[in-house]
Amino acid sequence: MNIEAGVLQDFVRDIFAGAGCSAAESARIARYLVAANLSGHDSHGVVRVPRYVQAKLDGKVKADQQVAVLTDTPVIAVVDGKFGFGQTVAPQAVAIGIAKCKAMGLSMVALRNAGHIGRVGDYAELAAAEGLVSIHFVNVPGSVLVAPFGGVDRRISTAPFCIGVPRPEGDAIVLDFATSVVAEGKVLVASQGGKPLPDNAMIGPDGEISGDPHLLYGDYEPDGPRDYRQGKGAIRAFGDHKGSGLALMCELLGGSLTGSGATELREIVTNGMLSFYVDPKRVDPDDFFSRDVSRYIAYLKSARPAQPGGEVLIPGEPEARTRLERLRDGIHLPEDTWAAIVATARKVGVEPPHNLVGSR
Ligand code: NAD
């Protein structure tokens, strides 16, 4: 089914309000989740609603938290998200980083104990909107899903890495990916009848490589819960030894250095994020940077396409295009995803809007 973004956002907002979040937080979570769908990352969109709500109802994630600033220097902040919703505490951490960077030209913020922060590119986009370059190392304590290069056992998280570069004209360049072949949410989406996984995404206990979501979740019903403790396999780290090495660095920097801890089995799934912010205007008052970025991007994109009719895209471009399409055409949700969201809504006393029910 296709749903208009605004209608979906209002429905998701009402679900979080029903689950006990404030009006402001409910609206914020809904905005970030729908923004992930709009950018094409359904894995980090409204498919997460059932899990987020369950985590809130179980007391594993806390409503309406304000980060605690544990260390505060002109260029460094260490902040504790206190297991608040990631969509609440991560923007607070980013705002601290932006303010320090604007004052000093450079800053670093270590965020620990955040609830799931969703699409990391959102935070690079916040910094880019202020004219800042940003680099983010993230890990996912509690979510051990990925086998390191050379191994079959789960030892690392999907540990995303992100860099954002602002452009005075046009959208920011945002490189933002999980260091696994696919993010866990993509396995979730595939298991719910969405886009199938690449056939090199997963590894079984005997080392066999496939694209089968059952290796992560074991047996499951179409609209039943997905429990990654039930599967016997793992997601693979991307890029052989290089991707696996970058994942390790996300664990050490996003996990160990932030105080979240490198990923291990534990009850609560959280995120640690180590972010660096750079103000190009301080590095380069003559503004060689933005002119050279424009020149170089044009040069890069002028490479002849590998496929007839193809083109070279830059990071962030696919998301910007998908956003335009989905704002126009609506967001497609597989039936299983929709059914799971409606079941969650009813659990917290919220009915789906009638116009949606009629249009299915
Ligand atoms: P992906 O494989 O879709 O890669 C996305 C990146 O590649 C983007 O920067 C995109 O602009 C770029 N890209 C895509 N196609 C391109 C092309 N043809 N040419 C040039 N660049 C292109 O992303 P993923 O690994 O599936 O991650 C999806 C999302 O999951 C990310 O937003 C990430 O932050 C998020 N994530 C979050 C967590 C968490 O715990 N919060 C964990 C893992 C992943």
Side-chain angles (χ1 to χ4, degrees), residues 26-98:
S26 303
R28 188 183 316 113
I29 297 170
R31 181 162 48 77
Y32 274 101
L33 291 181
V34 171
N37 287 106
L38 284 174
S39 68
H41 293 289
D42 294 328
S43 56
H44 288 69
V46 298
V47 72
R48 300 266 167 178
V49 167
R51 276 194 200 170
Y52 278 23
V53 168
Q54 197 54 51
K56 165 71 179 64
L57 299 179
D58 292 344
K60 290 180 176 166
V61 63
K62 312 251 181 303
D64 296 294
Q65 294 298 300
Q66 181 66 42
V67 295
V69 180
L70 308 177
T71 297
D72 191 14
T73 81
V75 290
I76 294 175
V78 179
V79 303
D80 190 333
K82 301 188 299 191
F83 304 102
F85 276 97
Q87 290 76 7
T88 292
V89 298
Q92 293 171 12
V94 172
I96 293 170
I98 289 173

Side-chain angles (χ1 to χ4, degrees), residues 41 44 116 118-120 158 174-176 178 186 271 313 315-316 319:
H41 293 289
H44 288 69
H116 189 257
R119 177 179 169 257
V120 182
T158 53
V174 178
L175 179 66
D176 169 33
K186 296 220 156 102
N271 277 135
L313 299 177
E319 285 78 5

Side-chain angles (χ1 to χ4, degrees), residues 36 39-44 48 52 115-123 138-141 143 157-163 173-186 195 269-272 311-320:
S39 68
H41 293 289
D42 294 328
S43 56
H44 288 69
R48 300 266 167 178
Y52 278 23
H116 189 257
I117 64 174
R119 177 179 169 257
V120 182
D122 286 327
Y123 308 112
V138 179
N139 84 330
V140 202
S143 179
S157 66
T158 53
F161 175 66
C162 176
I163 301 179
I173 304 164
V174 178
L175 179 66
D176 169 33
F177 55 74
T179 50
S180 44
V181 173
V182 288
E184 191 255 327
K186 296 220 156 102
K195 191 175 169 199
V269 174
T270 56
N271 277 135
E311 69 180 305
V312 174
L313 299 177
I314 54 167
E317 221 169 359
E319 285 78 5

